[in-house]
Amino acid sequence: MSTTVLLTKAEVVNALKNYPEMIELLEKAHAELSEGSLKTLPRNAIFLPSRIIMAQMPASIPSLGVAGTKIAMFGGAQGQSAILLFDAECGALKAIVAAEPITVLRTAATSAAATNVLARKDAEVLCLLGAGNQAVGHAEAICAIRPIKEIRVWSIDEPSANLGVEKISALCPNAKVTAYLDAEAAVRGADVVCTVTKAREPILQGEWLKPGAHVNAVGAVSAMGRELSTSVLTNGKVYVDQMETCMGTAGDLLIPIKEGEYSQDQIVGELGAAINGTVPGRENDEEITVFESVGLGCQDVVAAYIAVKNAEPVHTIEF
């Protein structure tokens, strides 16, 4: 019999306040993924008769001694998600962790890890195309690894942009935070650009990016939608979180590949390979870098591991 920890949404958020810790472990996890010592499988799903989708994202991380999977239900009025975290040595169920806040926090931390590896060290102007929870998380995470002095928050909806500014200003007091309704104006001159929307058509053009800019493409996680124009890809050096997963779900890449305007061979490689040095990272201050992020199970498991380590749980059960 073993004791299993239960972590609520509030407990997870409180346990994951230290972005630098999560960013460091995610960099390490991506390096291990690209060298083959860490295993993570692409998202797979079952379509239920009720029109609800049940998705799984499993991963094994030997260096942390854990394995786990996120299970998420989509499409229902009360869709929920949880991460099951297991001891990789004995198989005991270590924890059941609320996954909704983890999805936001680990996505932002992964973008920050990519920014840390690929963006210019002197980057200080951050542009967020999108003003929701992911935009807020990305602002806080990237401010943890770069000396950000200005944050531009774009939305097609003025109240949403203003609300995003309000939330980000509270979390990033050292930066000037401004709302934009013109995407091009928000992007021009920015050092780091994050696309965090539900757009299905491009919202970012390559011609808007300054030399030396870094892009984190986050919102388009369907093969049928995209946030980036093809010119963003052709103007920059493109990296992915995992090649196999992106070649199944990243519309930013798949749509221009299908249209014959881009090819998989033009992708430099995985983020982890850039960390390991097996593919080149940023080589000068003028080149544009692009990180395509579709989300991986290993990112969820890393965040759940940190949450369990740092939390002061109230609830446990015996298995």
Side-chain angles (χ1 to χ4, degrees):
M1 184 177 293
S2 62
T3 299
T4 300
V5 170
L6 304 179
L7 292 186
T8 65
K9 292 179 183 178
E11 289 168 336
V12 168
V13 171
N14 191 55
L16 293 179
K17 287 183 176 180
N18 185 356
Y19 261 118
E21 178 185 21
M22 187 158 40
I23 292 166
E24 181 180 355
L25 281 184
L26 283 168
E27 284 188 30
K28 185 172 184 287
H30 275 272
E32 292 173 350
L33 174 63
S34 291
E35 70 186 18
S37 59
L38 180 157
K39 303 296 182 185
T40 194
L41 298 180
R43 183 185 297 108
N44 60 75
I46 296 174
F47 294 81
L48 307 182
S50 59
R51 297 182 182 272
I52 291 176
I53 302 170
M54 182 175 70
Q56 279 196 81
M57 299 172 67
S60 170
I61 309 179
S63 64
L64 297 180
V66 295
T69 188
K70 178 164 73 177
I71 301 176
M73 303 293 283
F74 299 103
Q78 298 184 18
Q80 293 183 295
S81 58
I83 297 169
L84 306 182
L85 190 70
F86 295 89
D87 186 308
E89 293 298 321
C90 68
L93 180 60
K94 292 170 65 70
I96 302 172
V97 183
E100 183 180 337
I102 279 182
T103 301
V104 173
L105 295 169
R106 61 81 159 155
T107 303
T110 300
S111 291
T115 303
N116 200 34
V117 174
L118 298 171
R120 288 176 54 144
K121 300 301 181 186
D122 60 353
E124 58 183 25
V125 179
L126 170 63
C127 172
L128 301 163
L129 297 183
N133 290 336
Q134 282 290 0
V136 175
H138 275 69
E140 186 177 14
I142 290 171
C143 282
I145 51 90
R146 283 295 185 274
I148 301 298
K149 296 180 181 178
E150 180 185 351
I151 302 175
R152 305 168 181 179
V153 183
W154 170 85
S155 175
I156 58 173
D157 178 70
E158 185 173 6
S160 296
N162 290 334
L163 181 59
V165 166
E166 180 182 341
K167 291 179 178 180
I168 291 168
S169 295
L171 294 170
C172 306
N174 296 323
K176 174 187 176 183
V177 188
T178 308
Y180 282 74
L181 297 180
D182 183 331
E184 181 177 356
V187 171
R188 293 278 185 185
D191 300 307
V192 179
V193 179
C194 301
T195 61
V196 285
T197 72
K198 295 181 180 179
R200 295 179 64 84
E201 298 293 334
I203 57 169
L204 178 62
Q205 301 294 325
E207 296 77 17
W208 302 348
L209 296 167
K210 66 179 282 188
H214 171 70
V215 176
N216 295 306
V218 177
V221 294
S222 163
M224 297 176 288
R226 62 194 297 198
E227 294 179 303
L228 308 184
S229 69
T230 303
S231 60
V232 176
L233 308 180
T234 55
N235 286 1
K237 295 171 64 174
V238 178
Y239 302 80
V240 297
D241 50 10
Q242 186 190 38
M243 191 68 73
E244 180 183 5
T245 302
C246 281
M247 287 300 99
T249 59
D252 283 328
L253 304 174
L254 295 174
I255 293 172
I257 288 174
K258 183 179 180 180
E259 294 174 350
E261 297 176 346
Y262 192 72
S263 73
Q264 183 177 343
D265 292 340
Q266 290 174 265
I267 299 170
V268 177
E270 295 180 341
L271 173 63
I275 294 170
N276 290 334
T278 53
V279 301
R282 172 174 291 276
E283 295 177 289
N284 62 67
D285 285 344
E286 299 300 306
E287 61 190 8
I288 293 169
T289 53
V290 181
F291 174 58
E292 180 67 30
S293 172
V294 294
L296 304 175
C298 61
Q299 298 161 359
D300 294 311
V301 173
V302 166
Y305 168 86
I306 297 171
V308 172
K309 179 173 70 72
N310 293 345
E312 298 179 3
V314 176
H315 310 290
T316 60
I317 56 176
E318 296 294 328
F319 262 80

